[in-house]
Amino acid sequence: MPDMSASASLAMTHFVSFAKEVDEDKVTPGVLGFIVFAAMALAVWALMKSMSRHMNRVDFTQVPDPKAEQPEQSPADADADANAAEAEPSSQGAKKQG
């Protein structure tokens, strides 16, 4: 390893000796895996907190539409309209007969 300082060389020696103690057939995520997992967990936490803050700002109350307000029919009026519709011949029925 070219241009390596004495402290870096000593550190690499310790890491290499530690690596020899670990079972070579066993795979572990190591420190880098923990750092990546922790960063992802912090990112999810921050996103959830931000989403919660944004959802609290939304006003969910609905104002009734004045155009949609129509007088409700009483059941007697609804029956009268249905009977009137049955009494009138439909245009499709007239075509089938003729």
Side-chain angles (χ1 to χ4, degrees), residues 6-91:
S7 60
S9 176
L10 182 62
M12 288 300 292
T13 304
H14 287 290
F15 284 131
V16 171
S17 65
F18 177 71
K20 288 181 181 178
E21 293 174 11
V22 176
D23 185 14
E24 294 179 6
D25 295 330
K26 184 178 179 183
V27 178
T28 62
V31 176
L32 180 63
F34 174 75
I35 291 170
V36 170
F37 180 78
M40 288 176 63
L42 284 173
V44 168
W45 177 79
L47 285 172
M48 292 294 289
K49 188 168 181 136
S50 174
M51 183 185 71
S52 175
R53 198 175 310 132
H54 283 272
M55 292 298 285
N56 286 335
R57 291 181 187 169
V58 175
D59 183 23
F60 285 108
T61 57
Q62 294 183 351
V63 178
D65 189 12
K67 295 177 184 176
E69 291 182 15
Q70 296 176 356
E72 294 185 21
Q73 293 182 347
S74 66
D77 291 339
D79 290 339
D81 289 342
N83 290 337
E86 289 176 3
E88 294 176 8
S90 66
S91 61

